[in-house]
Amino acid sequence: MSALDIDITLNTGAKIPAVGFGTVCFDEFKSQFKDALKAALLEGHYRHIDTAWYYGTEALIGEVLQELFESGKLKREDIFVTTKVWPSFWKDPLKSLEKSLHDLRLDYVDLFLQHWPLAFEGDENGLPAVPKDAEGNVKFAKGADYLSTWKKMILIYKNTTKTRAIGVSNYTPKMLTRLLKETDVVPATNQVELHPHLPQVELVKFCKEHKIVVEAFSPLGGNGAPNLKIPLVQQLAKKYNVPAVDIIVNYHAQAGRVVLPRSQNVERIKKGFSEVKLTEKELAELDQFGIDHPKRFINDVWGNDLGFEHWGQ
Ligand code: NDP
């Protein structure tokens, strides 16, 4: 069985495929994006797409999905689609979701996430996505509470058919504690940066206790995939005779976490991932590597005051 066939059960009872296709795409790769996504869905056997309004790829995803649905190569129920509301849309997550659904050419998503526990100033179309003042500082919406967005997402979840589950992203245990105390829906997932350089052991434990599935973003460390060069990852790849990327994917999937690798390289995408049965000791060693050598790759300036562990390291 391929690691791509592993499903994880959300607190809604729905299943989420453990491996999702990351859809951040820089402008220079946009012309290749549709081919990469088609390869992922048809040959890499991905059944899960992780996107967001902010990535600017939803319209391209919508074109591919429509083509594959119309040609009968794929059915809507075959795939799990996640999108996210960006902080500049904090006042109106429904509008953000409707915009995403329009671009994705879908009636519903399987999961709708609050992208960051933040609120930015922005017009009714969420623009500019990252507003800045003359000195280049991010303009946060004054007096805004990130939980107000979550509360509006609960209403969307309860009163519409536009999303089958809701969750959060970039929440710390402290923020989750507040959310659980003040609202009545437990997020289905918390999507955070997570990999052998940043195992976030406490956060993972907290989420497990509260039945919140953890989704690992930037699993390879982002551009250039630095995590594939970690000596322990290389050593395990050699031992199991698989590419290093398979070790990282299995590190998450085996622990019941979703993992969201990104690639625009069709040859890599087509290969998919093999299942590797890492031992408990090896999983613990991978965690220990990050405890000893913490490194966070995504240090976007708007996250400066959120109290993330190892921020800027
Ligand atoms: P990743 O950590 O997945 O790394 C992507 C890089 O790894 C690319 O340079 C890619 O190059 C390279 N790569 C992929 N596979 C291989 C391989 N087999 N061998 C060598 N290099 C490889 O990147 P992201 O930071 O984009 O994270 C993945 C996804 O997580 C995003 O696309 C997004 O969906 C989500 N995310 C969510 C965030 C949030 O705030 N919720 C924040 C950041 C990301 P190539 O294309 O050439 O293969």
Side-chain angles (χ1 to χ4, degrees), residues 1-7 17-19 45 47 246 249-250 253-254 259 272-276:
M1 188 177 72
S2 142
L4 293 175
D5 292 328
I6 295 174
D7 280 331
V19 187
H45 306 293
R47 294 179 288 116
D246 292 18
V249 166
N250 281 275
Q254 226 178 291
V259 55
F273 308 100
S274 319
E275 188 175 28
V276 179

Side-chain angles (χ1 to χ4, degrees), residues 92-252:
D92 199 351
L94 179 59
K95 182 154 188 189
S96 172
L97 178 56
E98 283 172 343
K99 172 128 191 53
S100 292
L101 288 172
H102 174 268
D103 286 354
L104 290 165
R105 307 184 190 197
L106 296 176
D107 299 328
Y108 70 92
V109 287
D110 298 277
L111 180 60
F112 183 43
L113 303 183
Q114 183 180 5
H115 208 147
W116 285 83
L118 289 170
F120 298 161
E121 281 184 11
D123 70 13
E124 69 279 11
N125 292 311
L127 296 171
V130 184
K132 294 194 175 159
D133 65 17
E135 281 81 48
N137 301 310
V138 176
K139 282 160 81 177
F140 294 99
K142 287 191 189 71
D145 178 3
Y146 62 87
L147 268 196
S148 73
T149 305
W150 176 248
K151 288 175 186 164
K152 286 176 183 168
M153 290 171 69
I154 291 179
L155 296 178
I156 297 170
Y157 174 58
K158 288 186 175 172
N159 300 330
T160 79
T161 55
K162 295 177 196 292
T163 186
R164 301 222 161 148
I166 51 173
V168 296
S169 175
N170 295 299
Y171 266 57
T172 60
K174 194 170 163 196
M175 292 162 186
L176 285 170
T177 302
R178 185 178 160 226
L179 179 152
L180 294 174
K181 206 164 143 209
E182 296 183 29
T183 69
D184 65 352
V185 174
V186 179
T189 67
N190 184 21
Q191 187 179 121
V192 295
E193 182 175 340
L194 202 83
H195 43 70
H197 259 304
L198 193 71
Q200 305 218 52
V201 177
E202 286 307 313
L203 175 79
V204 168
K205 186 165 167 262
F206 182 97
C207 289
K208 196 170 182 185
E209 279 165 12
H210 293 278
K211 298 193 166 46
I212 300 168
V213 169
V214 173
E215 298 189 80
F217 77 61
S218 300
L220 310 181
N223 286 341
N227 287 336
L228 299 182
K229 299 187 187 90
I230 293 172
L232 178 58
V233 171
Q234 297 257 334
Q235 215 177 296
L236 292 168
K238 202 165 168 199
K239 173 180 169 187
Y240 290 102
N241 196 23
V242 293
V245 70
D246 292 18
I247 299 298
I248 304 241
V249 166
N250 281 275
Y251 162 65
H252 292 297

Side-chain angles (χ1 to χ4, degrees), residues 3-21 46-50 77-84 109-113 165-168 188-191 211-216 253 256-260:
L4 293 175
D5 292 328
I6 295 174
D7 280 331
I8 296 168
T9 305
L10 298 174
N11 61 14
T12 57
K15 307 256 191 230
I16 182 169
V19 187
F21 188 68
Y46 276 86
R47 294 179 288 116
H48 172 179
I49 300 171
D50 181 77
E77 56 273 29
D78 293 337
I79 51 161
F80 190 103
V81 180
T82 299
T83 192
K84 314 183 187 94
V109 287
D110 298 277
L111 180 60
F112 183 43
L113 303 183
I166 51 173
V168 296
T189 67
N190 184 21
Q191 187 179 121
K211 298 193 166 46
I212 300 168
V213 169
V214 173
E215 298 189 80
R257 298 191 291 265
V258 169
V259 55
L260 305 167

Side-chain angles (χ1 to χ4, degrees), residues 26-42:
F26 299 99
D27 284 343
E28 61 267 37
F29 295 115
K30 287 256 164 76
S31 59
Q32 292 161 232
F33 181 85
K34 290 205 300 178
D35 286 341
L37 179 60
K38 266 188 230 173
L41 294 170
L42 298 179

